[in-house]
Amino acid sequence: MPPSPDDLCPKPERQPPLVTRPLASPIFPATVYQCDSTQQASQLLAGETPGFVYSRDGHPNGVMLAERCAELHAADHAAITGSGMAALALAMLSQLEQGDHMIVSNQLYGRSLLLFTAEANRCGISSSPVDTCDLAQVAGALTPKTRMVIVETITNPMLHVSDIAALAKLAHDKGAVLLVDNTFASPIVCRPLQLGADLVMESVTKIMNGHSDVCLGLLAGRADVWQRVTDVQSIWGFSPGPIDCWLAARGLGTLALRVDRAVDNALAVAEMLSGRDDVQSVSYPGLAGHSDHTLAARQFGGRFGNMVTFTLPGGTAAAEQFMAAATAIPFCPSLGELCTTLSHPESTSHRGLTEQQRGELGIFGGTVRLSVGIESSQHVLEAVQQGLAGVA
Ligand SMILES: *Cc1c(COP(=O)(O)O)cnc(C)c1O
């Protein structure tokens, strides 16, 4: 009698009869792997031999993506996490303990600031938010308990630039590590580990994947800060899914091309905007008038990112008119998409601040943030000009 479907359906799968190797990598959705012996199982689970047992601890698509990211950042190690926030939490929980202190940029991404203040405080980790672009403020906030300094390479939305080499020196002199959120730069514009940072993080959700269809994070770093990362990732459950990793690895295949195009387009848009009388101010580190232009030119080697922020004189009403008229630019409060998108900090990322707090950062009702995409520069310029033409 042939075996019953009851027994055939749950049968372990056979491997496909591959003789040649596929050029594109397969997706490995398996959550668990078959072990050959008790000895092999215990060695694998102890991490004594390389290999996969359980997908929360690692899977081929995650490892392939991590290896490519480690190369991009010239890192000793890299870990892929289920989101950018998970990568930041992984950094904090792998480096710090109750009683430790952090210095954090007061202009961090909103969720990051909450993680490193309110959430960290709940774990008994204290923090001082300061303007980390002002090195004197960082030096003044360092204490003997400071174990980590956290900054973004390029801040949101005014695009201030952190002096990574100087911050690393300040941190290292006090025995602290420097963690850099490089999301607004990408490894094509900046490689913070090469400048002295110990850990670098990316929201792979943004330009790294670049196709608006994956939420993932990256933490990469030097060997001497990596001791606890692998265990913390598995125990706290920060692991990514294989299909997301596969998609992000595909996105990385065009990262350098995409960033180069978007960066060229962003400079063209910033120059166009700064030549217009109907625009009050333009913030782009590639413009000679930007407060951090000299630092950016030295640190980034000629690329200044794909983000451009500008302010219209007519307040929120003018921003709304611009957004309505710029029909080729979707209003999406994220960044790093293939197409040019825009966001409105007052009503999205910075809505939790008071008007005065926003004003101190340079954010007004008329402030619009562009994430410039990879279209032709003519298309991007016309799309922005179309928006400006709609402002009364
Ligand atoms: C989006 C973002 C994050 C968080 O990443 P997720 O992938 O959304 O969790 C952190 N930092 C910056 C600068 C970001 O833009």
Side-chain angles (χ1 to χ4, degrees):
M1 223 176 34
S4 139
D6 284 354
D7 302 322
L8 282 174
C9 289
K11 211 170 127 116
E13 288 203 35
R14 281 202 206 97
Q15 294 304 305
L18 294 181
V19 177
T20 49
R21 286 168 294 140
L23 184 58
S25 67
I27 302 176
F28 294 85
T31 52
V32 69
Y33 292 75
Q34 305 177 41
C35 302
D36 293 334
S37 66
T38 52
Q39 194 198 7
Q40 187 198 40
S42 73
Q43 284 176 346
L44 284 167
L45 287 166
E48 289 162 8
T49 54
F52 303 104
V53 183
Y54 187 59
S55 67
R56 180 166 33 72
D57 293 329
H59 50 72
N61 296 105
V63 167
M64 284 188 282
L65 178 60
E67 282 178 357
R68 180 62 58 88
C69 289
E71 286 168 358
L72 279 167
H73 272 295
D76 295 328
H77 297 283
I80 303 297
T81 54
S83 70
M85 290 312 301
L88 291 170
L90 175 59
M92 180 173 87
L93 293 165
S94 64
Q95 304 302 316
L96 296 155
E97 307 205 353
Q98 192 178 12
D100 288 343
H101 172 255
M102 301 179 283
I103 296 176
V104 304
S105 160
N106 60 6
Q107 289 169 47
L108 288 185
Y109 180 74
R111 297 268 136 184
S112 311
L113 201 53
L114 282 174
L115 172 66
F116 293 123
T117 54
E119 294 299 310
N121 295 170
R122 292 178 56 224
C123 304
I125 299 167
S126 62
S127 52
S128 308
V130 305
D131 177 1
T132 51
C133 290
D134 179 353
L135 296 174
Q137 285 194 33
V138 177
L142 281 161
T143 77
K145 289 188 179 292
T146 308
R147 309 249 34 102
M148 191 149 85
V149 177
I150 304 149
V151 304
E152 289 173 5
T153 309
I154 303 174
T155 67
N156 177 37
M158 298 321 288
L159 314 176
H160 291 300
V161 177
S162 298
D163 187 339
I164 293 167
L167 287 162
K169 187 169 184 317
L170 274 178
H172 294 162
D173 283 351
K174 295 278 181 178
V177 300
L178 177 65
L179 164 63
V180 177
D181 178 338
N182 199 51
T183 303
F184 271 48
S186 90
I188 308 303
V189 170
C190 183
R191 300 200 290 175
L193 300 176
Q194 301 294 93
L195 297 166
D198 304 272
L199 288 164
V200 62
M201 169 272 175
E202 305 268 1
S203 168
V204 176
T205 316
K206 314 293 168 53
I207 206 164
M208 292 282 276
N209 173 56
H211 291 69
S212 321
D213 50 13
V214 155
C215 182
L216 284 178
L218 163 70
L219 184 68
R222 294 210 324 258
D224 59 336
V225 293
W226 209 256
Q227 297 92 329
R228 300 214 62 236
V229 175
T230 309
D231 277 351
V232 168
Q233 170 157 31
S234 171
I235 293 165
W236 290 75
F238 292 140
S239 318
I243 296 173
D244 285 348
C245 290
W246 184 87
L247 281 166
R250 190 165 75 159
L252 280 188
T254 54
L255 177 70
L257 280 174
R258 288 186 288 103
V259 172
D260 268 346
R261 170 64 77 87
V263 162
D264 286 349
N265 285 347
L267 180 60
V269 168
E271 283 173 344
M272 182 274 287
L273 286 169
S274 61
R276 297 214 22 155
D277 297 337
D278 52 354
V279 174
Q280 183 175 308
S281 59
V282 184
S283 184
Y284 184 67
L287 294 178
H290 188 278
S291 55
D292 301 328
H293 177 68
T294 311
L295 166 63
R298 167 162 49 86
Q299 189 165 263
F300 300 152
R303 293 186 185 86
F304 300 94
N306 75 310
M307 305 298 292
V308 179
T309 300
F310 64 96
T311 297
L312 297 166
T316 310
E320 282 169 351
Q321 287 164 352
F322 176 88
M323 289 158 71
T327 51
I329 309 180
F331 172 22
C332 293
S334 186
L335 59 138
E337 328 300 341
L338 287 179
C339 66
T340 301
T341 60
L342 63 78
S343 186
H344 183 243
E346 181 193 56
S347 60
T348 62
S349 51
H350 293 73
R351 71 186 184 288
L353 303 186
T354 64
E355 193 173 344
Q356 189 190 336
Q357 286 170 326
R358 280 194 296 267
E360 284 164 10
L361 293 173
I363 302 164
F364 303 96
T367 303
V368 175
R369 189 196 75 181
L370 294 172
S371 166
V372 179
I374 64 166
E375 307 94 333
S376 70
S377 65
Q378 190 190 342
H379 174 94
V380 181
L381 290 171
E382 284 173 8
V384 177
Q385 282 158 345
Q386 189 189 336
L388 292 171
V391 181

